[in-house]
Amino acid sequence: MEHVILIGMMGSGKTTIGRIISRVTSRNFIDTDHLIEKKTGMSISDIINIKGEAYFRIVEKDVIMSLEPEAPSVISTGGGAVMDDDIFSFLKKAGKTVYLKASPDVLYRRTTNAEVRPLLMHGDRLEIIQRLLGKREPRYLESDIVIESGNRSPADIAEDIIKRLHL
Ligand code: S3P
């Protein structure tokens, strides 16, 4: 099944761009964080703040590895999900992975609502972003395509992805 799978850091635009691609191509849009919230009846912030990140990663893995959309869909994943090798292999098999690449400065500007980003709440946000990106980017770069999401509009980026994947 050829799904379009958006990966990248918090603030890289996965949800916004994913929604546009799904609208333009008439595909379903699946947001894995949203599925986790539905399954647990808790917000992502509450899961991480109350139950801890380790517990969140277990639920995240369970939710993603149980995905079986019937029709080709657009899937937006939480920024840390692909660091799990099983999840990454699963997603690579499920479709085309697209890394929405943005610099720490851009990600910093786009994550001002840190209260809904529990991993960015404690400490210097820019430093946390730089550290996470440094650790994650080698994995993100293993995606099928890499799209610079820097200074372009979400619609422009979505159009680029649609063209490059011949959707
Ligand atoms: C996380 C990103 C979040 C969410 C959780 C952890 C991460 O999703 O899954 O807060 O580890 O980068 P978004 O990337 O959609 O913000």
Side-chain angles (χ1 to χ4, degrees):
M1 182 68 67
E2 280 288 275
H3 301 299
V4 177
I5 299 146
L6 301 178
I7 71 169
M9 287 284 286
M10 294 169 263
S12 59
K14 292 166 293 188
T15 306
T16 311
I17 293 164
R19 281 192 194 288
I20 299 173
I21 299 174
S22 86
R23 203 178 53 232
V24 174
T25 62
S26 304
R27 287 170 172 237
N28 289 332
F29 178 65
I30 297 167
D31 182 327
T32 61
D33 278 345
H34 183 67
L35 293 181
I36 294 167
E37 291 183 330
K38 248 175 51 186
K39 184 184 165 91
T40 57
M42 292 172 83
S43 68
I44 299 293
S45 297
D46 278 352
I47 301 172
I48 294 182
N49 289 329
I50 298 169
K51 303 262 200 179
E53 187 182 345
Y55 175 79
F56 169 74
R57 296 296 173 203
I58 292 169
V59 183
E60 178 176 58
K61 186 165 182 171
D62 185 37
V63 162
I64 295 179
M65 308 270 300
S66 325
L67 278 176
E68 293 187 82
E70 281 170 17
S73 305
V74 181
I75 302 171
S76 165
T77 58
V82 296
M83 297 312 289
D84 181 283
D85 291 341
D86 299 332
I87 294 181
F88 190 58
S89 318
F90 176 83
L91 293 173
K92 289 286 272 184
K93 283 196 205 109
K96 292 284 183 228
T97 45
V98 179
Y99 170 33
L100 298 178
K101 185 170 166 33
S103 68
D105 282 351
V106 168
L107 296 169
Y108 177 76
R109 270 188 269 121
R110 294 208 199 123
T111 51
T112 44
N113 55 343
E115 68 283 357
V116 295
R117 320 250 188 207
L119 297 187
L120 301 181
M121 270 173 67
H122 309 288
D124 181 306
R125 203 165 83 247
L126 184 58
E127 255 175 45
I128 301 172
I129 289 171
Q130 284 165 333
R131 179 174 49 76
L132 285 177
L133 186 60
K135 211 158 76 182
R136 292 175 176 179
E137 192 153 57
R139 171 51 57 83
Y140 290 158
L141 288 170
E142 291 180 53
S143 297
D144 296 302
I145 63 171
V146 177
I147 300 274
E148 289 283 345
S149 86
N151 285 322
R152 303 153 66 199
S153 73
D156 190 31
I157 296 165
E159 197 187 304
D160 197 2
I161 295 171
I162 290 167
K163 269 202 204 121
R164 286 181 60 182
L165 292 181
H166 308 290
L167 299 177

